[in-house]
Amino acid sequence: MRTEGTLTRLDRVFARLDREPQRPAHIDVPRMSRHRFVLFSATLAFYLSIVWAVVTTSWLVRLDWQIMFFRPYQQWPEIHAFLDYYVVLGQRGPTAVMVAAWLGWRSWRQHTLRPLLTLATSLLLLNVTVGAAKIGMGRLGPHYATVIGSNEMGLGGDIFPSGHTANAVVTWGILAYLASTPTARRWLSALSAVIALGVGLTTVYLGTHWLSDVLLGWAAGLLILLALPWFEPLIARAEVALFDLRDRWRARRGRRAPVPAAVAPVGAPAVFTPHPSARPSASEESPAARETVGAGRTSRTAVHLAPGRHTARPERTPVTPAVGRRQPHSDRLARGTASAARPLTGG
């Protein structure tokens, strides 16, 4: 009998997703509407204006220096310990793990890979765009500034735009982007905006970023969220490709699965059938092998065999005892013979 193999954890996950192959009807996929395109264009213009203001060392750079000399962490030292932990909400590693766990549960419940694929797409866009801007502009932070009043551009730094701020906007904003109802989308949008605003101002308080870094980080994260509808067709094709790859992998595993041999029931005698090519021909058989079974039961010399495996009872050769269990008495006569007259005693 062929039995099914043990399902792995990945098989159970895909089996759960297979229960509803189509996306639920109540979940709508955002599209690049006219309103969203206008917001994207306005945010892009704001992004470019911040970059231009810093490159030309305008009033924004002077405001950066004024806040740096103000040293907020010295003005309000009582909240320093709390903000040291709060800024973790903008770090890429911890926030990505928390949000991925939530979206993984969403994927399990909604039977689709879209939440996790959307998160992966947004983080990829974040690393590419923000990382390229950091390396390209090379601005130094407040703690490493060299010339008072300068924009500190092109000196090998990597803080413009603020990565903590952009990551907070994207990571927490993706929850609002993937919300299934308008009410949930509004509440999650407000929550993600508060978190991103707090993380950006916290970096200014700690003195790790200029104010212009934070402004550009907000714009960079918002651009990614607004541009996600353009990548929805790619996400859908990636989901279909992953399921097709899963199906081919399952089919290949099914073809390669070995068929277990039939097992004889316990206690049945083992039957050995030699291959036809291994059987000797009639001319090659020895005369002793042609004797009958009865003639073969002759007296044999006792041979002490080496201890081997214990054979089952049906495999043992019956042995006829050479002598009876009871020894015959010498004074007994065989049956059928006349007994001699016994002398009478007495008088």
Side-chain angles (χ1 to χ4, degrees):
M1 179 187 301
R2 182 173 180 174
T3 58
E4 297 293 335
T6 304
L7 294 179
T8 62
R9 182 172 300 177
L10 184 61
D11 292 332
R12 290 194 296 268
V13 169
F14 280 117
R16 172 74 180 184
L17 296 176
D18 282 340
R19 295 182 185 179
E20 189 174 347
Q22 297 180 356
R23 186 176 291 111
H26 65 280
I27 299 178
D28 58 334
V29 178
R31 301 182 181 276
M32 185 55 75
S33 59
R34 181 177 301 178
H35 176 70
R36 184 181 288 269
F37 184 78
V38 170
L39 288 177
F40 179 84
S41 302
T43 306
L44 181 60
F46 178 77
Y47 184 97
L48 296 176
S49 64
I50 295 297
V51 174
W52 178 255
V54 173
V55 170
T56 58
T57 317
S58 63
W59 60 271
L60 186 57
V61 176
R62 293 193 297 270
L63 181 60
D64 288 339
W65 281 96
Q66 290 175 3
I67 295 176
M68 194 272 285
F69 285 130
F70 181 70
R71 291 182 173 85
Y73 58 90
Q74 293 182 354
Q75 301 296 328
W76 302 287
E78 59 275 5
I79 61 175
H80 194 287
F82 170 74
L83 293 181
D84 275 339
Y85 290 100
Y86 182 81
V87 78
V88 177
L89 295 177
Q91 289 185 0
R92 195 162 307 166
T95 56
V97 171
M98 290 186 289
V99 174
W102 168 258
L103 293 182
W105 183 80
R106 284 275 307 274
S107 296
W108 178 271
R109 291 296 302 273
Q110 298 176 358
H111 318 294
T112 175
L113 295 177
R114 178 176 170 265
L116 290 176
L117 292 177
T118 305
L119 175 64
T121 303
S122 62
L123 292 180
L124 180 61
L125 292 175
L126 176 68
N127 292 330
V128 171
T129 56
V130 175
K134 284 174 174 288
I135 297 174
M137 289 182 274
R139 190 183 188 188
L140 293 176
H143 293 309
Y144 303 97
T146 56
V147 180
I148 298 177
S150 66
N151 57 13
E152 303 297 323
M153 297 281 287
L155 299 178
D158 58 350
I159 55 111
F160 186 65
S162 171
H164 275 69
T165 306
N167 183 73
V169 174
V170 172
T171 307
W172 301 109
I174 202 70
L175 299 179
Y177 178 84
L178 294 172
S180 56
T181 60
T183 303
R185 185 177 294 111
R186 285 193 295 268
W187 281 102
L188 291 175
S189 298
L191 178 62
S192 60
V194 170
I195 294 177
L197 181 64
V199 169
L201 294 179
T202 299
T203 59
V204 176
Y205 167 86
L206 296 175
T208 57
H209 280 287
W210 307 100
L211 179 62
S212 55
D213 299 341
V214 175
L215 295 176
L216 196 65
W218 284 332
L222 188 58
L223 282 175
I224 294 174
L225 290 180
L226 293 173
L228 277 179
W230 281 332
F231 295 90
E232 285 292 344
L234 179 62
I235 292 173
R237 288 196 296 270
E239 183 179 11
V240 173
L242 286 176
F243 280 112
D244 290 343
L245 180 63
R246 184 277 315 270
D247 295 337
R248 290 196 298 269
W249 176 68
R250 279 185 174 179
R252 187 161 52 250
R253 280 187 58 190
R255 288 196 300 267
R256 293 181 180 178
V259 179
V263 181
V266 179
V271 179
F272 175 74
T273 303
H275 194 270
S277 60
R279 296 178 180 176
S281 60
S283 59
E284 296 178 358
E285 292 184 357
S286 60
R290 300 176 184 176
E291 295 179 358
T292 60
V293 176
R297 293 183 179 178
T298 59
S299 59
R300 299 179 182 178
T301 307
V303 179
H304 298 280
L305 300 178
R309 69 180 185 90
H310 181 73
T311 57
R313 182 172 298 274
E315 300 177 6
R316 299 177 183 176
T317 304
V319 178
T320 304
V323 294
R325 294 184 179 181
R326 294 191 304 174
Q327 298 294 334
H329 296 277
S330 58
D331 57 348
R332 290 184 178 180
L333 298 176
R335 292 182 178 180
T337 59
S339 58
R342 296 182 181 181
L344 299 175
T345 58

